[in-house]
Amino acid sequence: AAGILLVPPEAVEAGTLPAGITVGGVDLPGMTGEEADQKIEQYVEDMSNQEITLTIDGNEITTTAKELGFTWTNQEEIEETADRYAGGYLNLKTLEKEPLKLDVKTSVDAAKVAQFVESKCSAFIREAKDAEITRVNNAFQITESVVGLDVDIDATKKALDEALKGG
């Protein structure tokens, strides 16, 4: 994974991040930029390894967020915001009054979700069929209806994004 430098190089040399900064619930005070970078990368990596179970008509299919194309979508935003605070020009009392809480925003890849649904869920998808009455040899034969089942890929992606939102 590529490194994410949360503070400008001169701030890292000057010391550590002040109290009052969290990213995705991870407290960063007292860490150097490199330590904060590693801590956040580990947090995101843990999120990507989360096991996900989809239930379709009582059948469970398990995968991981990573296999569904899990990505961290606001790395740059977090870096820029943290840089502003780590630059040393803000009064530390500001962070005491108004702590900086940055959320890690993530998403899964729509194409990978579609591929997963098509490859792993297709066995559970069935077309709806109306009941039929036919006459064979002067007797009526009834064919029962079949309730259809489909997986809405867009709704599945939205549900996955929402479920993974908080880690």
Side-chain angles (χ1 to χ4, degrees), residues 57-92:
D57 201 29
N59 299 290
E60 292 186 347
I61 304 145
T62 303
T63 188
T64 64
K66 187 183 286 185
E67 290 171 347
L68 297 175
F70 178 87
T71 56
W72 180 9
T73 60
N74 70 333
Q75 282 177 279
E76 197 170 302
E77 176 188 337
I78 287 177
E79 181 179 343
E80 289 171 4
T81 303
D83 283 351
R84 281 197 310 258
Y85 281 82
Y89 64 89
L90 292 174
N91 185 337
L92 294 180

Side-chain angles (χ1 to χ4, degrees), residues 28-40:
L28 303 178
M31 293 185 190
T32 65
E34 185 177 328
E35 290 168 338
D37 182 30
Q38 291 171 356
K39 187 85 168 174
I40 295 167

Side-chain angles (χ1 to χ4, degrees), residues 77-156:
E77 176 188 337
I78 287 177
E79 181 179 343
E80 289 171 4
T81 303
D83 283 351
R84 281 197 310 258
Y85 281 82
Y89 64 89
L90 292 174
N91 185 337
L92 294 180
K93 297 241 184 240
T94 302
L95 287 175
E96 289 176 14
K97 292 178 185 173
E98 297 174 29
L100 177 61
K101 296 179 182 178
L102 302 172
D103 292 323
V104 173
K105 295 178 184 172
T106 61
S107 181
V108 290
D109 182 87
K112 288 192 177 190
V113 171
Q115 179 184 10
F116 176 80
V117 168
E118 289 169 13
S119 67
K120 304 288 185 183
C121 305
S122 61
F124 308 109
I125 296 172
R126 59 184 176 266
E127 190 174 321
K129 293 183 183 176
D130 291 331
E132 293 181 347
I133 299 177
T134 55
R135 189 174 173 132
V136 178
N137 296 331
N138 292 329
F140 289 106
Q141 287 187 339
I142 300 173
T143 304
E144 296 291 325
S145 64
V146 174
V147 177
L149 180 66
D150 198 9
V151 177
D152 183 332
I153 294 171
D154 290 335
T156 301

